[in-house]
Amino acid sequence: MVIDSTLPASFVVTLSCPDRPGIVHAVAGALLEAGCNIADSQQYGSPTTGNFFMRVEATTSSTQDGLAAALEPVAAEFGMNWEINPVDRKLRTLIMGSKDAHCLNDLLFQQRSGTLPIEVPAIVSNHRDLEGLAEFYGIPFHHIPVTADTKPQAEAQLLGLIKEHDIELTVLARYMQVLSNELCTQLSGKAINIHHSFLPSFKGAKPYHQAHARGVKLIGATAHYVTADLDEGPIIEQEVIRVDHARTAAQFVQMGRDVEGRTLAQAVQWHAEHRVLLDGTRTVVFN
């Protein structure tokens, strides 16, 4: 996207590279060359992986292409993975669900109210339970049933929708199907799942029931990137609530719904605002 207006535009620059002296100085100099005024800057050097991460918000009367031209020599010198995104651009997001509506409803309500910077051109489900909710929000609903025999065709249909609608983020809002390894690879870093457990505990099916059986005192939810390893993707956000011995497993499920919705919406917001950078199996979140 190129902004040609002569009025100052706001951009987010995100980058990661091997850590070494001079990165911040070089980036700031390139932004100055492009006529930028830095409004916010955050950086982190990981002592574990030796990688450096940076997120900068800046305003400039230059175009996005002009800003990129100023940063390209710096990116090449330091071996950076980097992106430039307009601050006010909404991320094109496809949401997937199955039968539970609470996470989907939270995302759509926040998107409509303007607090979540995403645009949702499509909702996909392997059931029809959520079709009415999609209709209420005026978003096209795509029913893609999935069985063991039809999984390859179903995933091909999903990828077709992602390509057709220029989808940048896929959100699994209690979508109760395991994606294939091939699909997880294609969506790497661009798909977020909500798991109704405080990972790494209680992976897989019925985590609330697993937690109840173990007599835990805290339950929660984890929003993480999707990977081929089930429920082991890099964690973006987590939240917990306290429970006690008097609660039933069904009450665990009921109590967990609000936590799931809040946790997923927060992770989607941070991703859409370009605040999450991957560091191997971990994330750096500039929140």
Side-chain angles (χ1 to χ4, degrees):
M1 178 178 180
V2 176
I3 295 179
D4 294 322
S5 173
T6 56
L7 296 175
S10 296
F11 295 96
V12 176
V13 178
T14 53
L15 61 92
S16 62
C17 62
D19 200 359
R20 58 184 257 204
I23 300 172
V24 174
H25 180 270
V27 171
L31 293 175
L32 177 61
E33 178 186 335
C36 291
N37 179 49
I38 295 176
D40 181 70
S41 179
Q42 299 179 74
Q43 54 269 338
Y44 172 71
S46 171
T48 304
T49 63
N51 292 324
F52 177 83
F53 304 87
M54 190 172 186
R55 180 185 187 274
V56 182
E57 285 192 27
T59 57
T60 179
S61 56
S62 175
T63 64
Q64 184 169 339
D65 283 348
L67 181 56
L71 285 168
E72 280 172 356
V74 175
E77 178 184 354
F78 290 93
M80 294 177 177
N81 293 315
W82 61 295
E83 289 186 358
I84 302 173
N85 290 280
V87 167
D88 58 356
R89 186 176 68 84
K90 295 181 179 180
L91 206 66
R92 293 184 62 80
T93 302
L94 182 146
I95 305 177
M96 304 180 69
S98 288
K99 294 185 176 183
D100 290 325
H102 55 287
C103 287
L104 174 62
N105 187 60
D106 281 357
L107 292 172
L108 296 180
F109 177 80
Q110 291 193 42
Q111 185 271 333
R112 174 175 284 187
S113 65
T115 58
L116 199 59
I118 61 173
E119 177 184 357
V120 184
I123 294 170
V124 171
S125 179
N126 56 325
H127 299 280
R128 291 197 175 274
D129 300 57
L130 305 176
E131 190 168 7
L133 184 60
E135 183 179 352
F136 174 79
Y137 282 99
I139 300 173
F141 178 85
H142 301 268
H143 178 224
I144 305 180
V146 181
T147 67
D149 293 334
T150 64
K151 194 181 189 76
Q153 294 89 340
E155 292 192 344
Q157 189 175 347
L158 172 63
L159 286 171
L161 286 171
I162 290 173
K163 182 178 180 180
E164 175 187 349
H165 294 288
D166 296 320
I167 297 300
E168 301 167 276
L169 175 65
T170 301
V171 179
L172 279 60
R174 292 300 303 272
Y175 180 68
M176 306 308 289
Q177 284 286 326
V178 178
L179 305 185
S180 69
N181 292 354
E182 294 77 15
L183 183 57
C184 289
T185 298
Q186 292 193 56
L187 298 180
S188 178
K190 298 179 181 179
I192 296 175
N193 180 52
I194 184 67
H195 184 68
H196 39 308
S197 169
F198 193 70
L199 294 174
S201 299
F202 311 122
K203 302 173 185 177
K206 292 192 173 183
Y208 288 129
H209 293 75
Q210 296 180 50
H212 184 267
R214 293 292 301 274
V216 303
K217 308 308 177 191
L218 292 171
I219 59 172
T222 302
H224 64 92
Y225 286 114
V226 174
T227 63
D229 296 320
L230 182 64
D231 297 330
E232 292 191 12
I235 292 170
I236 304 169
E237 173 65 335
Q238 294 180 289
E239 187 177 337
V240 296
I241 52 175
R242 183 165 290 280
V243 294
D244 60 33
H245 63 278
R247 301 286 184 177
T248 65
Q251 288 174 320
F252 277 24
V253 173
Q254 183 178 4
M255 293 171 66
R257 288 187 178 125
D258 286 344
V259 178
E260 295 163 25
R262 288 196 303 270
T263 305
L264 180 58
Q266 183 64 85
V268 171
Q269 180 175 356
W270 283 339
H271 180 96
E273 293 175 348
H274 313 288
R275 298 182 179 276
V276 187
L277 287 81
L278 286 168
D279 188 18
T281 58
R282 306 173 71 231
T283 60
V284 174
V285 182
F286 292 123
N287 53 21

